[in-house]
């Protein structure tokens, strides 16, 4: 048995109670889990200070001296504060224990020389260390102390004396007892990329002697983590291309050409033409297409998707577009019907509200092939929905669909249909490489002619009166306005209260106009009605939470006011801003915040005011917030569970790992070559599941 697979309870110093705590709080079950629980910071232990040099502003430091005396102060029933007066000959400081003072008095001897390590503060005009670490000075070799690691722990752990120092001791025990670890990368990668060996990297990352060694160890461990994620994704994609044949759409026929020449509402942009060409090459190649189409809100993705679907129809196949919400599905339906007005094509809607006779007619039309385009929500993947010949599927805002849901589409067709995944959430390149590494990526990076960029301004909440005047002016010119309140889940109740109260305030502020109100807690039917009142122009102001983030299209709405904008991420602000600027008029986005803002929030607001480029915003968001809990990350067979690498900050390493992985897949597409046996063996160890998720796109 590999030592890293050993149960953590067998590590000296753990036992059943600590095992339970480590498992519940940190997910540490084995020696390997503990080894991959990396320090979050390091403190230099090679330098010794004198007490005379210390100030209360300094970080963690160490001094060497001896205890002069102990003093005990009562702190209520059965509680006491124990203080040791400590000197190194230059001055006296205090060591204080609020807990464990009895243990300190029994353990530490007056007159014995100790190394004290902790964070200095000032109390009663004297330097004070609260709950410091003490080590016998005669057993310490300062030249070998290096950097001390610090590990994140929870409150529960600290209460059970399982603090950072305790985790460090357990890790030290493990590092000292484990035999040299086997290598998991081939020699040629280690040599060409000048990487440290695996065993050395693990030992140094927990106990570095200096910053240079630490950096090399971290690079090695990050590279390995990213490399196997990329190798896994590329292996799936290569496997998929070899195994799955796609339907061949050999012709661009009458339906496409009629639409292109007689029904196209405006000329295509260069970017739209380029993407349609890329899709056309894919669907004619004989391999199944899996393509991600990225494009900012309003860049014309739906038109590209429709024209691609028309190619499928020209070749005798049915098509389907899946949207995450009923509102968005109905909007797609209206858009497609407008585009195809006057053409002899049958388009149908299938959502949860399509019931009874209407539903039966849709199911029959799909089965007998008379429906050419189906627009729907996840209702499309129900078992009762069967197609005569499904050849092309568009999935909109794919991160809103679970992998298993998308997989069901496969059972609808003899061969896997071609899949086009659309997203208006720009994904930074390094992230797309990891999240959607098995998809080919197309980008629409220009807006249709006549679209004016939305003007974004930042307003403090002390200037609401002038903001209201601006809103009145826009409505009098015939425009409509969105006013968005934050709705962040942890504080849903208070946010809802804010929205309800805010709605009343706005009603009083704008007695001459009609207002609609929409939030996630409303019944779908009521929400739909309120939305429709705004869409039809019956109401001039829509007061809402972020439920309007995706897909509401009201070209007449020209103002987006986002209240408490500091509570939103950059990408979310950008999505909300995309709800306006859909007509030919100049549109505005107003970010309202309190006067007092953190440095990071100020940066976010400035970026929003400076640029409309979704990719720049997404890159900035990733850097500011990190990848966090990215939606749709369980894409590939290996969970997206990075323990040391950071996609936002390790972009170069992501690219380097991908380049190496691509070379190996190109050289050994069958994954059989003995030359790479070490890699295929390691990949099998790492994979959490045998389902070929990447084949689902």
């Amino acid at each position: 048995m590999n030592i890293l697979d050993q149960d953590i309870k067998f590590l000296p110093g753990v036992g059943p109670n600590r095992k339970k705590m480590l498992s519940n709080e940190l997910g540490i079950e084995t020696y390997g889990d503990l080894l991959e629980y990396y320090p979050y910071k390091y403190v230099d232990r090679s330098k010794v200070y004198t007490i005379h040099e210390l100030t209360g502003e300094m970080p963690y430091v160490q001094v060497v001296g001896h205890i002069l005396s102990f003093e005990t102060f009562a702190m209520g029933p059965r509680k006491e504060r124990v203080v040791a007066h400590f000197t190194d000959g230059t001055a006296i400081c205090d060591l204080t224990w609020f807990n464990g003072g009895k243990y300190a008095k029994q353990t530490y001897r007056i007159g014995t020389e100790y190394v004290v390590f902790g964070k200095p503060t000032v109390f009663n005009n004297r330097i004070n260390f609260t709950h410091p670490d003490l080590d016998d000075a005669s057993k310490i070799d300062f030249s070998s102390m290096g950097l001390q690691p610090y590990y994140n722990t929870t409150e529960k752990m600290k209460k059970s004396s399982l603090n950072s120092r305790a985790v460090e001791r357990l890790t030290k025990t493990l590092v000292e007892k484990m035999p040299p670890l086997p290598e998991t990368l081939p020699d040629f990668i280690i040599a060409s990329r000048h990487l440290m060996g695996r065993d050395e990297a693990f030992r140094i990352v927990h106990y570095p002697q200096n910053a240079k060694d630490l950096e090399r160890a971290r690079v090695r461990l990050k590279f390995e983590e990213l490399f196997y994620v990329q190798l896994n994704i590329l292996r799936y994609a290569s496997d998929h291309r070899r195994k799955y044949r796609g339907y061949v759409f050999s012709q661009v026929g009458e339906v496409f050409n009629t639409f292109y020449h007689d029904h196209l509402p405006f000329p295509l942009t260069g970017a739209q033409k380029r993407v349609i060409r890329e899709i056309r090459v894919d669907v004619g190649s004989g391999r199944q297409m899996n393509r991600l189409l990225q494009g900012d809100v309003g860049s014309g993705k739906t038109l590209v998707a429709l024209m691609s679907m028309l190619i499928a129809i020209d070749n005798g196949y049915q098509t389907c577009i899946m949207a995450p919400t009923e509102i968005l599905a109905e909007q797609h339906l209206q858009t497609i019907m407008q585009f195809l007005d006057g053409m002899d094509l049958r388009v149908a809607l299938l959502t949860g509200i399509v019931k009874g006779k209407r539903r039966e007619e849709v199911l029959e039309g799909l089965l007998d092939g008379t429906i050419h385009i189906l627009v729907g929500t996840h209702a499309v993947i129900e078992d009762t929905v069967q197609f005569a010949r499904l050849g092309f599927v568009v999935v909109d805002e794919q991160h809103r669909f679970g992998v298993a849901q998308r997989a069901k589409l496969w059972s609808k067709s003899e061969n896997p249909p071609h899949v086009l995944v659309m997203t208006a959430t720009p994904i930074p390149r390094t992230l797309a490489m990891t999240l959607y590494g098995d998809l080919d990526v197309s980008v629409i990076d220009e807006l249709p002619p006549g679209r004016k960029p939305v003007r974004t301004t930042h307003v403090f909440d002390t200037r609401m009166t002038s903001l209201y005047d601006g809103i009145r002016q826009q409505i009098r010119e015939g425009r409509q306005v969105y006013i968005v309140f934050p709705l962040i889940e942890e504080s849903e109740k208070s946010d809802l209260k804010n929205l309800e109260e805010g709605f009343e305030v706005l009603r009083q502020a704008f007695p001459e106009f009609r207002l609609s109100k929409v939030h996630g807690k409303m019944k779908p039917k009521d929400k739909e009605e309120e939305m429709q009142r705004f869409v039809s122009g019956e109401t001039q102001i829509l007061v809402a939470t972020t439920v309007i983030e995706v897909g509401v299209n009201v070209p007449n709405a020209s103002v987006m006011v986002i209240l408490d904008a500091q509570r939103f991420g950059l990408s979310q602000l950008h999505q909300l801003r995309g709800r306006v600027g859909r007509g030919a008029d100049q549109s505005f986005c107003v970010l309202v915040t309190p006067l007092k803002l953190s440095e990071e929030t100020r940066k976010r607001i400035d970026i929003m005011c400076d640029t409309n480029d979704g990719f720049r915003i997404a890159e900035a968001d990733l850097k500011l917030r990190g990848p966090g809990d990215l939606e749709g990350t369980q894409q590939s067979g290996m969970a997206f569970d990075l323990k040391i690498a950071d996609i936002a900050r390790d972009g170069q390493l992501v690219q380097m790992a991908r380049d190496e992985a691509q070379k190996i897949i190109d050289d050994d597409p069958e994954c059989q070559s003995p030359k790479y046996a070490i890699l295929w063996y390691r990949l099998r160890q790492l994979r959490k599941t045998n389902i070929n998720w990447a084949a689902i796109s």
Side-chain angles (χ1 to χ4, degrees):
M1 185 189 186
N2 181 340
I3 186 164
L4 297 186
D5 295 332
Q6 277 266 36
D7 191 317
I8 195 71
K9 73 180 177 197
F10 297 119
L11 186 70
V14 178
N17 290 343
R18 276 189 160 184
K19 178 212 154 101
K20 195 175 172 190
M21 183 69 74
L22 287 167
S23 170
N24 291 348
E25 297 297 298
L26 304 178
I28 293 173
E29 306 274 353
T30 64
Y31 286 9
D33 293 338
L34 181 61
L35 198 60
E36 288 188 336
Y37 193 67
Y38 299 107
Y40 72 94
K41 71 170 184 180
Y42 301 84
V43 171
D44 188 354
R45 290 293 304 264
S46 58
K47 180 168 170 52
V48 178
Y49 288 84
T50 62
I51 297 172
H52 181 67
E53 289 176 83
L54 301 183
T55 68
E57 283 73 56
M58 291 170 97
Y60 284 79
V61 297
Q62 59 190 356
V63 293
V64 180
H66 60 272
I67 295 171
L68 296 167
S69 62
F70 282 100
E71 225 179 322
T72 304
F73 301 89
M75 289 178 62
R78 303 221 309 272
K79 271 202 157 190
E80 59 182 25
R81 171 166 63 97
V82 171
V83 176
H85 304 298
F86 185 89
T87 185
D88 65 353
T90 68
I92 294 173
C93 68
D94 289 340
L95 317 179
T96 304
W97 290 269
F98 293 97
N99 299 314
K102 197 173 173 187
Y103 170 84
K105 280 193 292 189
Q106 287 168 352
T107 309
Y108 305 125
R109 301 268 164 260
I110 289 170
T112 301
E113 195 163 53
Y114 291 108
V115 178
V116 168
F117 178 74
K119 169 92 178 69
T121 56
V122 176
F123 180 69
N124 283 345
N125 294 323
R126 192 183 270 189
I127 290 291
N128 180 68
F129 289 90
T130 305
H131 293 264
D133 289 334
L134 269 74
D135 291 294
D136 186 334
S138 64
K139 294 175 183 167
I140 296 287
D141 171 10
F142 289 106
S143 64
S144 69
M145 282 199 81
L147 303 175
Q148 177 162 340
Y150 273 71
Y151 300 85
N152 274 317
T153 55
T154 65
E155 283 308 312
K156 220 172 184 179
M157 289 172 72
K158 286 172 189 151
K159 281 179 184 160
S160 302
S161 306
L162 201 50
N163 56 12
S164 171
R165 191 72 196 271
V167 173
E168 185 210 327
R169 288 190 184 113
L170 294 177
T171 310
K172 195 177 175 90
T173 304
L174 171 59
V175 168
E176 283 169 354
K177 75 174 283 191
M178 74 185 184
L181 297 174
E183 194 43 80
T184 46
L185 291 174
D187 293 342
F188 69 87
I189 290 184
I190 292 173
S192 70
R193 295 295 182 178
H194 310 291
L195 296 171
M196 186 181 268
R198 180 173 180 244
D199 181 73
E200 189 186 5
F202 268 125
R203 293 173 195 275
I204 287 176
V205 83
H206 290 289
Y207 293 99
Q209 283 304 298
N210 56 58
K212 194 177 168 194
D213 285 351
L214 172 62
E215 183 52 26
R216 285 197 63 217
R218 285 172 62 81
V219 165
R220 156 62 207 241
L221 295 169
K222 286 178 178 190
F223 175 85
E224 175 170 340
E225 201 167 57
L226 294 166
F227 170 77
Y228 277 107
V229 170
Q230 294 297 340
L231 187 65
N232 192 47
I233 290 167
L234 293 172
R235 186 189 70 88
Y236 271 139
S238 157
D239 204 29
H240 177 82
R241 279 196 270 273
R242 282 181 302 109
K243 279 184 189 165
Y244 293 102
R245 306 302 298 153
Y247 295 120
V248 179
F249 298 167
S250 55
Q251 61 169 338
V252 173
E254 193 187 334
V255 176
F256 182 94
N257 285 317
T258 302
F259 178 78
Y260 187 73
H261 295 296
D262 304 337
H263 293 265
L264 200 58
F266 39 76
L268 296 174
T269 62
Q272 285 174 312
K273 285 178 181 169
R274 184 187 70 239
V275 172
I276 291 170
R277 278 197 299 273
E278 288 168 351
I279 290 169
R280 209 183 137 190
V281 168
D282 280 357
V283 296
S285 69
R287 69 181 182 89
Q288 188 239 349
M289 178 180 84
N290 274 304
R291 189 166 279 281
L292 173 69
L293 175 56
Q294 294 195 63
D296 249 336
V297 171
S299 60
K301 294 184 300 295
T302 307
L303 183 57
V304 167
L306 174 62
M307 292 177 76
S308 309
M309 290 157 93
L310 297 181
I311 297 173
I313 294 165
D314 265 332
N315 286 273
Y317 291 92
Q318 291 166 291
T319 64
C320 160
I321 178 164
M322 276 171 71
T325 64
E326 289 184 357
I327 290 173
L328 197 48
E330 290 193 16
Q331 208 162 291
H332 277 315
L333 180 78
Q334 282 164 10
T335 306
I336 289 169
M337 301 274 267
Q338 279 165 8
F339 279 141
L340 298 177
D341 188 31
M343 288 185 71
D344 188 21
L345 289 176
R346 190 172 167 204
V347 185
L349 178 73
L350 191 65
T351 65
I353 54 175
V354 179
K355 292 193 167 72
K357 192 163 184 295
R358 207 170 132 216
R359 191 182 190 85
E360 273 170 42
E361 282 170 8
V362 173
L363 296 180
E364 279 167 24
L366 292 173
L367 209 47
D368 64 22
T370 55
I371 290 177
H372 301 98
I373 299 175
L374 179 69
V375 182
T377 54
H378 55 271
V380 168
I381 55 183
E382 287 168 10
D383 295 339
T384 50
V385 182
Q386 294 298 327
F387 293 79
R389 258 190 126 195
L390 179 63
F392 195 98
V393 174
V394 180
V395 182
D396 194 13
E397 292 299 340
Q398 100 139 23
H399 60 276
R400 309 239 170 166
F401 291 101
V403 172
Q405 287 177 311
R406 295 196 300 279
K408 283 193 165 185
L409 280 167
W410 283 60
S411 60
K412 312 281 181 198
S413 196
E414 186 185 334
N415 276 351
H418 294 293
V419 177
L420 181 68
V421 169
M422 299 199 302
T423 180
T425 309
I427 301 157
R429 217 172 133 272
T430 49
L431 196 51
M433 249 189 268
T434 309
L435 286 183
Y436 301 106
D438 55 322
L439 303 180
D440 299 310
V441 178
S442 290
V443 178
I444 301 182
D445 49 12
E446 57 184 299
L447 289 177
R451 282 277 172 93
K452 292 179 182 152
V454 179
R455 234 180 260 161
T456 305
T457 52
H458 176 206
V459 170
F460 291 116
D461 56 13
T462 49
R463 307 218 26 228
M464 294 305 278
T465 312
S466 62
L467 174 60
Y468 288 168
D469 289 342
I471 290 172
R472 272 189 203 93
Q473 182 62 32
Q474 285 289 308
I475 297 175
R476 287 195 186 114
E477 287 175 19
R479 316 273 184 272
Q480 287 167 280
V481 177
Y482 294 103
I483 299 181
V484 176
F485 281 78
L487 184 55
I488 318 289
E489 273 169 34
E490 293 90 73
S491 57
E492 238 171 39
K493 281 197 178 70
S494 65
D495 277 333
L496 207 51
K497 188 162 164 272
N498 289 349
L499 175 80
E500 300 288 1
E501 287 171 2
F503 183 71
E504 284 311 312
V505 169
L506 290 165
R507 270 225 315 230
Q508 286 161 26
F510 299 105
E512 69 272 48
F513 302 129
R514 287 191 297 278
L515 284 72
S516 287
K517 176 175 63 179
V518 176
H519 58 78
K521 288 276 182 268
M522 290 167 76
K523 287 180 182 155
K525 188 168 155 289
D526 298 342
K527 193 159 53 178
E528 194 68 38
E529 274 173 21
E530 286 289 292
M531 286 295 240
Q532 285 310 328
R533 286 177 64 212
F534 186 66
V535 171
S536 68
E538 187 191 327
T539 56
Q540 289 82 39
I541 299 174
L542 176 62
V543 182
T545 59
T546 50
V547 291
I548 61 157
E549 185 185 334
V550 173
V552 183
N553 186 10
V554 184
N556 191 46
S558 65
V559 181
M560 165 64 70
V561 177
I562 303 171
L563 301 174
D564 281 330
Q566 76 282 1
R567 289 178 59 186
F568 296 87
L570 266 176
S571 294
Q572 204 175 21
L573 289 172
H574 182 62
Q575 281 280 310
L576 287 165
R577 174 167 65 184
R579 298 298 109 223
V580 293
R582 294 172 158 247
D585 299 306
Q586 178 62 60
S587 289
F588 305 89
C589 175
V590 184
L591 307 175
V592 182
T593 71
L595 277 166
K596 206 171 170 191
L597 293 176
S598 71
E599 193 55 39
E600 189 186 298
T601 303
R602 209 171 280 282
K603 273 187 203 157
R604 281 214 307 270
I605 302 291
D606 288 348
I607 290 164
M608 284 298 296
C609 294
D610 290 347
T611 182
N612 278 287
D613 181 337
F615 287 93
R616 268 189 64 197
I617 286 166
E619 288 282 358
D621 206 17
L622 190 62
K623 285 201 170 77
L624 285 170
R625 299 200 307 166
D629 179 19
L630 291 152
E631 294 169 292
T633 50
Q634 304 290 341
Q635 289 277 88
S636 59
M638 193 182 336
F640 184 79
D641 182 16
L642 300 179
K643 294 190 169 71
I644 190 167
D646 177 334
I647 285 185
R649 292 171 183 86
D650 298 324
Q652 269 180 306
L653 277 176
V654 173
Q655 187 64 61
M656 190 166 52
R658 184 158 183 101
D659 292 347
E660 287 296 341
Q662 189 66 63
K663 279 186 223 162
I664 285 150
I665 293 294
D666 291 345
D667 191 36
D668 183 18
E670 304 274 338
C671 309
Q672 298 293 331
S673 168
K675 186 161 87 172
Y676 304 120
I678 185 174
L679 298 178
W680 308 130
Y681 172 72
R682 179 67 178 153
L683 203 54
R684 280 196 299 276
Q685 281 183 316
L686 289 171
R687 289 221 315 278
K688 305 268 203 303
T689 165
N690 297 320
I691 300 169
N692 190 348
W693 291 129
I696 297 153
S697 82

